[in-house]
Amino acid sequence: MRIHHDWTGLPADARGASVAMGNFDGVHLGHRSVIDTARAACDAPLGIITFEPHPREFFAGDADARPFRLMNAESRANRLARLGVDHLYELPFNAVMAGFGPADFVREVLVAGLGVRHVTVGADFCFGRKRSGNAATLIQLGEAAGFGVTIAPLIGDGRVEYSSTAIREALAEGRTRDAERMLGHWHRIDGAVLHGDKRGRDLGYPTANMAVDGLHLPALGIYAVLVDVLTGPERGSYKGVASLGVRPMFDGKRPNLEVHIFDFAGDLYDQHLSVALVEYLRPEAKFDSLQALIEQMDRDSAMARDILAAR
């Protein structure tokens, strides 16, 4: 998959795609419907148009510091690559983009910049300055500009509509399997392994530490996890147990993800991981002693091994 960070100056072989357009936070089953519809719309490379930062982040600025994203840009790109996307147009959402009216956006970005063959969006899609354009607007403008438009219906399971909001709620309550049902995949946290204080190694549980800045936090606590090492000599898939939280035993304040990979002895510093939260085991807690913590970690690991062995 090729990633493009602007809509201008693209080579000829990066233009003319059949694109799905939206924010695709989580790349859930509703998004998959839009993407699959774009794939089938015409004989052209499959493209995704999305925005970075998320428009909600751009407009909120510092007024609302509560993280809401299910995925950072790296995680979203990794998931889209797994779906066979040819081109990811990760367009900068800045004052210029925010100032485009619907007709400006179609003329400057979709036609002059990307030369799209076809555009697919969800039924609730809005675009342009102050969200003044919708799916019907796009159909009208696309017809005048010479490209086709398909509106993919919203989908759900009869009880709940698949949405990023519903997935956030499930994760916040530790309902990883409900989130997986709506996502169509395990919720993952992707990123680089950071240098930490190495306390886990001293406890007999070396961990790979990852930042979760800017992300909506699932329930804090201990998880059974599947780990994909995406870079470096240890590249591959593993099983493990992870702590998502502030490390109350050590008076931590900033949440992070600490991943212990079972039966692993390699060096992962600065490598990139994709960590799937499979099962929520328990909330994080502060123990009376380090020995009590280690004994609980032993129980957590045994439970995680049993859960993952049954998959």
Side-chain angles (χ1 to χ4, degrees):
M1 183 179 74
R2 295 164 62 185
I3 302 178
H4 313 279
H5 296 287
D6 206 341
W7 67 85
T8 62
L10 295 178
D13 62 355
R15 290 166 47 85
S18 175
V19 300
M21 183 161 56
N23 291 310
F24 298 102
D25 187 26
V27 194
H28 56 65
L29 288 176
H31 298 145
R32 288 276 298 272
S33 174
V34 178
I35 293 168
D36 289 343
T37 301
R39 192 194 314 270
C42 67
D43 184 17
L46 175 61
I48 299 292
I49 297 176
T50 190
F51 305 94
E52 194 63 35
H54 192 292
R56 178 172 160 185
E57 292 176 304
F58 174 83
F59 288 114
D62 295 330
D64 185 355
R66 292 171 296 179
F68 67 91
R69 291 183 64 160
L70 291 167
M71 287 179 157
N72 58 25
E74 178 181 352
S75 184
R76 181 176 59 194
N78 289 339
R79 174 53 53 181
L80 292 171
R82 293 179 189 220
L83 297 180
V85 171
D86 298 303
H87 297 278
L88 172 57
Y89 304 102
E90 192 179 271
L91 305 183
F93 199 91
N94 50 27
V96 173
M97 182 69 75
F100 280 146
D104 302 322
F105 178 81
V106 167
R107 182 181 62 253
E108 299 296 331
V109 178
L110 298 185
V111 177
L114 305 183
V116 297
R117 288 270 307 278
H118 196 96
V119 179
T120 302
V121 295
D124 58 351
F125 179 75
C126 292
F127 71 110
R129 187 171 53 249
K130 297 183 178 180
R131 295 171 60 85
S132 55
N134 56 24
T137 310
L138 185 61
I139 291 174
Q140 295 173 352
L141 293 172
E143 184 176 355
F147 62 82
V149 176
T150 299
I151 310 303
L154 302 177
I155 66 170
D157 62 2
R159 294 180 297 124
V160 63
E161 181 183 295
Y162 296 149
S163 69
S164 299
T165 297
I167 293 164
R168 290 186 198 103
E169 291 173 355
L171 291 170
E173 296 172 2
R175 295 185 286 112
T176 56
R177 294 184 185 271
D178 285 346
E180 188 271 341
R181 178 173 49 80
M182 292 182 279
L183 286 164
H185 55 85
W186 297 113
H187 176 65
R188 288 180 173 268
I189 296 174
D190 293 19
V193 176
L194 308 176
H195 290 264
D197 51 26
K198 300 179 175 61
R199 283 199 184 98
R201 181 179 302 172
D202 295 337
L203 298 174
Y205 283 90
T207 58
N209 298 333
M210 298 169 62
V212 292
D213 299 341
L215 296 178
H216 167 81
L217 288 180
L220 300 185
I222 310 304
Y223 289 83
V225 297
L226 297 173
V227 183
D228 289 341
V229 178
L230 302 177
T231 61
E234 307 291 349
R235 190 175 304 163
S237 297
Y238 305 87
K239 298 177 180 180
V241 63
S243 172
L244 175 63
V246 297
R247 297 173 293 176
M249 278 294 290
F250 305 104
D251 297 321
K253 294 180 174 60
R254 187 174 185 175
N256 74 341
L257 182 67
E258 296 182 291
V259 184
H260 172 68
I261 300 176
F262 297 142
D263 310 316
F264 182 86
D267 183 356
L268 293 176
Y269 286 123
D270 302 319
Q271 303 304 331
H272 284 245
L273 307 187
S274 178
V275 181
L277 306 184
V278 174
E279 189 82 26
Y280 182 64
L281 304 183
R282 64 171 176 86
E284 60 178 353
K286 189 169 185 176
F287 295 88
D288 293 335
S289 66
L290 288 180
Q291 184 58 38
L293 171 61
I294 292 170
E295 290 172 359
Q296 182 60 56
M297 292 166 69
D298 291 342
R299 291 191 289 271
D300 295 337
S301 294
M303 186 182 301
R305 286 182 184 271
D306 288 344
I307 289 169
L308 297 172
R311 288 187 67 259

